């Protein structure tokens, strides 16, 4: 009786169970490394977008401060959306560069 199928991670080359690889054939440690690199980029992008929205609302649109809670909730929602979007883009960019680098090595 044979054990679970084994395959190598495309980034680090470590032998792991094939079921534990993601669709790009990266192990969990390599995927966690990419996520840890992309998360700060997502936070910066989300924060800049939320701050930009608040500046736009109060300086250009001249939003009334009476609705401050509405604007803050809107900024928080924009931050969350941009954080997810920018992190996903950064994840893809970092992953493609890392894959290209590991292929060339």
């Amino acid at each position: 009786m044979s054990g679970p199928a084994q395959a190598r991670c495309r980034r680090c080359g470590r032998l792991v169970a094939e079921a534990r690889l993601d669709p790009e054939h990266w192990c969990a440690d390599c995927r966690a490394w990419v996520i840890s690199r992309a998360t700060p980029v997502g936070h910066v992008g989300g924060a800049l977008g939320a701050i930009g929205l608040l500046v736009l609302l109060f300086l250009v649109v001249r939003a009334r401060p009476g609705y401050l809670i509405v604007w803050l909730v809107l900024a928080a929602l924009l931050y969350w959306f941009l954080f997810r979007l920018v992190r996903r883009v950064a994840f893809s960019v970092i992953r493609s560069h890392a894959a290209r680098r590991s292929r060339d090595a």
Side-chain angles (χ1 to χ4, degrees):
M1 185 167 3
S2 65
Q6 299 275 317
R8 293 204 178 272
C9 171
R10 284 192 182 161
R11 182 176 175 268
C12 67
R14 189 173 45 171
L15 197 60
V16 294
E18 191 170 0
R20 300 197 58 154
L21 295 174
D22 71 357
E24 297 293 322
H25 294 283
W26 280 36
C27 66
D29 291 338
C30 291
R31 185 174 169 84
W33 173 80
V34 174
I35 291 171
S36 72
R37 299 275 310 263
T39 297
V41 176
H43 284 299
V44 169
L48 289 176
I51 290 169
L53 172 72
L54 290 175
V55 167
L56 178 76
L57 282 172
F58 287 107
L59 296 180
V60 177
V61 179
R62 304 251 186 232
R64 294 190 325 206
Y67 295 107
L68 183 61
I69 191 69
V70 173
W71 305 128
L72 291 177
V73 168
L74 183 63
L77 288 173
L78 181 68
Y79 167 80
W80 177 81
F81 175 75
L82 287 176
F83 164 71
R84 303 275 304 196
L85 178 70
V86 172
R87 183 176 65 170
R88 182 62 202 169
V89 170
F91 177 88
S92 297
V93 169
I94 292 168
R95 186 177 197 154
S96 68
H97 284 280
R100 189 176 320 124
R101 205 172 309 126
S102 66
R103 225 180 300 125
D104 294 341

